[in-house]
Amino acid sequence: MLPDRVRIVEVGPRDGLQNELTPISTEGKLQFVRKLVAAGLTQIEVTSFVNPKRVPQLADASELITELPSAENVTFSALVPNEKGLDRAIESGINRIAIFTAASETFTQKNIGMSIDESIATFAPIAKRAIDAGMSVRGYVSTCFVCPYEREISKDRVRDVTAKLFDLGVDEVAISDTIGAAVPTDVLETVSFVLEKLPVERIALHFHDTYGTALANVVAGLELGVTTFDASAGGLGGCPFAPGAAGNLATEDLVYLLDRMKIQTGLAGQPGVDLGKVIEAASVVARVLNRQLPSAQWRRLQADFAADEV
Ligand code: HMG
Ligand code: MG
């Protein structure tokens, strides 16, 4: 039995853009976000309040959030790594943040300059202050399957770190394949182990697609009853501190799969995410970056255009 409805968390404006060196204007990002909203995406991670020297592309986080469209039923969120990031997030008026750690010690050090335990200790007062300020909080656990530095990651570590994030008050944890190296058997093994102790409705899966296994991993997640999946329009993305990380699972490829499997992607009573409009959103970024995008749907369209021109 597969779920009959899933929730897509669009991470294109944050994960999709954070690794891009070509500067994208705030207005360009806003156009991207407006089109994602028009496509029917209701959870959109728009930026990060990290150290702008480490992720210059997202240095305009505050300005971007001030200009976001007001859209019914749409929740925008942003990554927060420390107290300073939370100060900026509160000031911006955003009402959902995401805190992030990992299941690999080395990756955690490279990404946020802390051990895993230090990251939990750092995020405890941040999550509390955010919740007291009326915000909701998501958590990420990176490198849940394979780490670029430590290779294989134990499922015990993944479950332990995930549980610690829940103890901080997060409402959802994204189990993440940062370098896109996982295959369905990894997902079945690690995620089912997590689900023995933690509630499936609070687990999201965040796949990158370096080896082309992200959609297969989604199917493994669906088989386990997971109903929240992260994706990035166009298939852009990658973490600057994880060598070898390619783009995220493309939103349009996920929507194609779910549509064909007759799994709903909209809120109850609402239309689902519109595949064509997701591609329109992605094309805003493709124009600015002046290059083709990695998603299968994008390649299919280019092939159709080329055939029309013959
Ligand atoms: P740090 O650089 O070690 O901080 O940051 P510091 O305390 O030494 O401060 C250095 C300077 O940065 C100071 O300024 C601070 O004020 C400033 P200066 O005195 O030199 O002028 N600073 C800040 N400014 C604005 N906002 C802030 C902030 N913090 C410090 N929040 C920190 C530590 C954790 C912030 C840093 O290491 C950092 O920003 N890391 C970025 C990590 C990141 O963005 N990674 C990518 C996202 S995670 C990801 O992609 C994985 C995910 O997609 C899931 C998956 O796929 O696995 C979520
Ligand atoms: Mg990611």
Side-chain angles (χ1 to χ4, degrees):
M1 281 292 287
L2 298 176
D4 55 14
R5 181 182 304 280
V6 308
R7 206 163 58 101
I8 298 177
V9 178
E10 169 64 44
V11 296
R14 193 278 302 171
D15 205 337
L17 302 188
Q18 70 184 7
N19 214 15
E20 292 297 337
L21 299 177
T22 306
I24 302 173
S25 67
T26 309
E27 181 45 41
K29 292 173 189 169
L30 285 166
Q31 213 186 334
F32 182 34
V33 173
R34 285 194 287 265
K35 285 186 179 285
L36 292 169
V37 170
L41 288 151
T42 55
Q43 302 272 319
I44 308 178
E45 195 167 82
V46 285
T47 190
S48 291
F49 288 102
V50 294
N51 179 351
K53 290 195 192 95
R54 297 203 75 197
V55 185
Q57 182 66 263
L58 305 183
D60 62 348
S62 306
E63 198 187 337
L64 179 89
I65 287 169
T66 320
E67 300 290 323
L68 286 174
S70 57
E72 216 182 324
N73 295 327
V74 178
T75 303
F76 298 114
S77 61
L79 288 194
V80 164
N82 56 11
E83 294 282 356
K84 181 157 188 177
L86 181 60
D87 293 341
R88 293 172 61 209
I90 291 174
E91 205 181 318
S92 76
I94 199 146
N95 49 26
R96 183 163 174 77
I97 62 161
I99 57 178
F100 54 107
T101 183
S104 146
E105 287 292 355
T106 317
F107 177 75
T108 315
Q109 280 293 351
K110 302 265 185 198
N111 197 33
I112 51 176
M114 305 172 211
S115 69
I116 299 170
D117 283 351
E118 282 165 351
S119 74
I120 298 294
T122 301
F123 283 125
I126 291 173
K128 181 171 184 325
R129 188 152 74 92
I131 292 164
D132 289 348
M135 297 165 134
S136 63
V137 186
R138 167 180 238 233
Y140 282 96
V141 182
S142 287
T143 55
C144 285
F145 306 97
V146 184
C147 167
Y149 308 102
E150 294 180 13
R151 305 314 299 167
E152 299 300 317
I153 293 295
S154 99
K155 59 190 180 190
D156 297 84
R157 177 73 71 75
V158 174
R159 188 162 80 186
D160 180 54
V161 179
T162 304
K164 284 181 173 149
L165 283 177
F166 281 127
D167 290 344
L168 303 189
V170 308
D171 55 32
E172 171 175 279
V173 172
I175 305 272
S176 305
D177 180 20
T178 314
I179 59 165
V183 298
T185 43
D186 296 326
V187 175
L188 291 171
E189 192 177 329
T190 298
V191 178
S192 65
F193 184 73
V194 169
L195 296 179
E196 281 171 19
K197 293 273 170 65
L198 298 167
V200 67
E201 62 279 4
R202 284 158 152 250
I203 295 294
L205 295 177
H206 176 107
F207 295 123
H208 286 256
D209 201 23
T210 316
Y211 296 94
T213 54
L215 278 180
N217 291 339
V218 167
V219 175
L222 289 169
E223 282 173 359
L224 294 172
V226 176
T227 53
T228 304
F229 294 91
D230 293 5
S232 160
L236 292 168
C239 176
F241 313 104
N248 287 78
L249 166 62
T251 312
E252 56 271 37
D253 293 343
L254 176 61
V255 171
Y256 176 79
L257 177 93
L258 296 170
D259 283 352
R260 291 283 304 163
M261 291 175 79
K262 303 207 170 7
I263 296 174
Q264 309 289 314
T265 54
L267 300 171
Q270 304 278 328
V273 177
D274 185 308
L275 195 155
K277 289 186 177 171
V278 174
I279 294 176
E280 271 179 43
S283 63
V284 170
V285 182
R287 269 199 300 277
V288 179
L289 299 178
N290 194 24
R291 66 158 202 260
Q292 301 297 335
L293 299 177
S295 80
Q297 289 296 322
W298 184 271
R299 279 184 275 117
R300 176 190 63 81
L301 274 179
Q302 303 313 310
D304 287 355
F305 290 145
D308 284 350
E309 279 170 14
V310 173

